């Protein structure tokens, strides 16, 4: 009890108030929203899996056109209710920005691929015809994060349903109400489009124990995990087919050929989007020494506030806390009271008062500083001066810690761009744009909130949740 923080006490009280006020029209819990019971939410993981299996059987019996109708309705409801989920997400988790969360939901609604992503292949030759189809796995068990909670539930649901699967979610406990709201939205869309009332399922109270039941249940054929290193490791050790979308720590290199004014703005725009919660967001900058001052000046024009080294060290002691891991080793981990918080709130913790126009904290550090080495997920951006492209690439790769997740570069030198892109081996590499261009927001290509680097599916979509099946007709069905 001695170590409990004021914010933790506030959260516990809020949860108690919410959970004891289900009759009130303006309250919500993990099972009720404004007096309406959420559909598809179960107290028992085994029951949820059975319900998801019934959902799977219903999807299998549908035509592709029927599946697409449900997905169209999911898209419509997601746009219509984006603001509700955005507000709920911020209120429940205390993290992120309402307007940015609203935009993330609209992105999911508009740019997550549906059934068009499922494509069959035919091969003909002297020996006849061979058909390869993308078939569903069956019931998918999905673990979702607190950082993009309802966005991930809806994005996963669209892709998994398009692929013909049923889904059971074990959402992050800190974002359970908004995650279950999204599960209910998918089920409402299903019912409205002529599908089953319960198509996807979730838990009243997800825990590590319910996650464990899911990971070992014989009816779960595929696990899809979006979260930090601990949970990705857990699902990859499950013995089942698993898709792991894990942590990143995206570096940015800015060289002296870049458009510095644009780089300064793009980096701050990307770094502060939803208060740095997206795993792809800019986390540390390696700037060529001869343009660093100008870059910092441009960042300040775009809502950045620079702190000095002593202040950076002071803030680091607050945003990172020491914990003892399972092996008995002391490790630094991000303080949950600081993740996704506004820049002015973080600055106030070291006694600096600024207005809401300040959206990012910048500071010059050396390479080994905690701000460079840790995935903070808050609008704090360390800047390290480098002497040349070789040093920049070397630092950036080391800071990325082999996650091979996302990296960014601002440059007009194609040799530099190519050298970094090749060397860093990330799933996403964004050139001369804010990080979110990498998930289709102001950049080409589809979106996802499950970027599967460790297991290789990359920017996941419906086809990632399928298994290939072959059908061979020997010596016939060839028309030439
Ligand atoms: P987290 O790792 O704290 O939790 C993710 C989920 O896993 C939650 O539902 C949690 O309850 C559960 N969980 C944690 N440990 C578990 C275990 N051992 N077994 C089973 N379940 C377990 O995630 P978070 O803090 O909400 O999200 C932030 C992290 O996720 C960051 O590291 C971020 O980079 C990463 N992330 C990655 C992607 C991606 O697409 N690659 C997307 C979003 C977030």
């Amino acid at each position: 009890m001695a170590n409990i923080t004021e914010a933790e006490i506030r959260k516990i009280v809020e949860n108690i108030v919410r959970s004891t006020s289900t009759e009130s029209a303006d309250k919500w819990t993990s099972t009720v929203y404004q007096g309406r019971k959420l559909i598809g939410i179960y107290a028992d993981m085994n029951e949820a899996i059975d319900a998801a299996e019934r959902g799977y059987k219903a999807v299998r019996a549908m035509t592709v056109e029927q599946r697409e109708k449900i997905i169209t309705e999911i898209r419509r409801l997601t746009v219509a209710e984006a603001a509700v989920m955005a507000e709920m997400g911020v209120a429940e988790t205390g993290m992120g920005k309402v307007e940015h969360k609203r935009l993330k939901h609209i992105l999911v609604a508009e740019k997550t691929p549906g059934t068009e992503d499922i494509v069959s292949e035919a091969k003909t030759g002297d020996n006849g015809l061979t058909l390869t189809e993308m078939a569903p796995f069956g019931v998918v068990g999905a673990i979702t994060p607190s950082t993009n909670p309802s966005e991930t539930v809806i994005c996963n649901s669209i892709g998994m349903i398009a692929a013909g699967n049923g889904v059971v979610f074990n959402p992050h406990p800190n974002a359970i109400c908004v995650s279950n709201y999204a599960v209910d939205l998918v089920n409402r869309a299903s019912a409205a489009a002529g599908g089953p009332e319960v198509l996807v399922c979730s838990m009243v109270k997800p825990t590590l124990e319910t996650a464990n039941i899911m990971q070992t249940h014989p009816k779960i054929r595929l696990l899809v995990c979006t979260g930090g290193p601990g949970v990705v490791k857990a699902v990859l050790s499950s013995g089942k087919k698993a898709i792991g979308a894990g942590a990143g720590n995206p570096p940015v290199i800015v060289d002296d050929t870049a458009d510095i004014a644009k780089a300064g703005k793009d980096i701050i725009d990307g770094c502060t989007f939803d208060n740095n919660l997206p795993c792809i967001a800019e986390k540390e900058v390696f700037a060529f020494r001869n343009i660093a001052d100008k870059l910092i000046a441009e960042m300040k024009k775009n809502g950045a506030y620079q702190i000095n080294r002593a202040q950076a060290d002071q803030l680091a002691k607050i945003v990172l806390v020491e914990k003892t891991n399972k092996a008995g080793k002391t490790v630094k981990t991000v303080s949950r009271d600081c993740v996704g918080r506004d820049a002015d709130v973080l600055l106030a913790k070291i006694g600096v008062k600024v207005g809401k126009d300040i959206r990012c904290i910048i500071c010059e550090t050396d390479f080994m500083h905690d701000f460079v080495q840790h995935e903070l997920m808050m609008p704090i951006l360390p800047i390290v001066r480098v002497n040349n492209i070789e040093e920049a690439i070397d630092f950036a790769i080391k800071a990325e810690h082999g996650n091979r997740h996302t990296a960014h570069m601002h440059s007009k030198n194609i040799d530099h761009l190519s050298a970094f892109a090749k060397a860093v081996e990330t799933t996403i590499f964004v050139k001369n744009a804010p990080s979110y261009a990498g998930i289709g927001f102001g950049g080409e290509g589809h979106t996802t909130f499950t970027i599967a680097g460790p297991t290789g599916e990359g920017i996941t979509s419906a086809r990632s949740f399928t298994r290939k099946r072959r059908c061979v007709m020997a010596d016939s069905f060839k028309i030439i």
Side-chain angles (χ1 to χ4, degrees), residues 95 143-148 152 170-174 206-209 211-212 215 225-235 244-249 277-280 283 326 336 339 375 377 405 448-454 458:
M95 307 191 296
I143 291 176
T144 51
S146 57
T147 46
N148 319 305
T152 308
N170 197 67
H172 200 292
N174 293 352
T207 58
L208 286 184
E209 199 187 317
N212 195 40
Q215 281 165 34
C225 168
T226 311
V231 60
V232 169
K233 192 169 170 211
V235 297
N249 194 33
L277 291 177
C279 51
I280 54 161
K283 300 281 191 289
K326 280 184 194 154
R336 286 281 159 182
V339 172
E375 184 197 26
M377 294 180 288
H405 192 297
T448 186
F449 278 81
T450 298
I451 299 151

Side-chain angles (χ1 to χ4, degrees), residues 343-353:
D344 65 309
V345 172
L346 296 172
L347 280 171
K349 291 180 187 291
I350 54 164
V352 176
K353 280 203 179 124

Side-chain angles (χ1 to χ4, degrees), residues 7 75 365 417:
R75 296 188 199 283
T365 69
L417 287 162

Side-chain angles (χ1 to χ4, degrees), residues 272-286:
T272 56
F273 191 66
D274 208 15
N275 275 344
N276 202 257
L277 291 177
C279 51
I280 54 161
E282 294 82 347
K283 300 281 191 289
E284 62 277 339
V285 176
F286 299 100

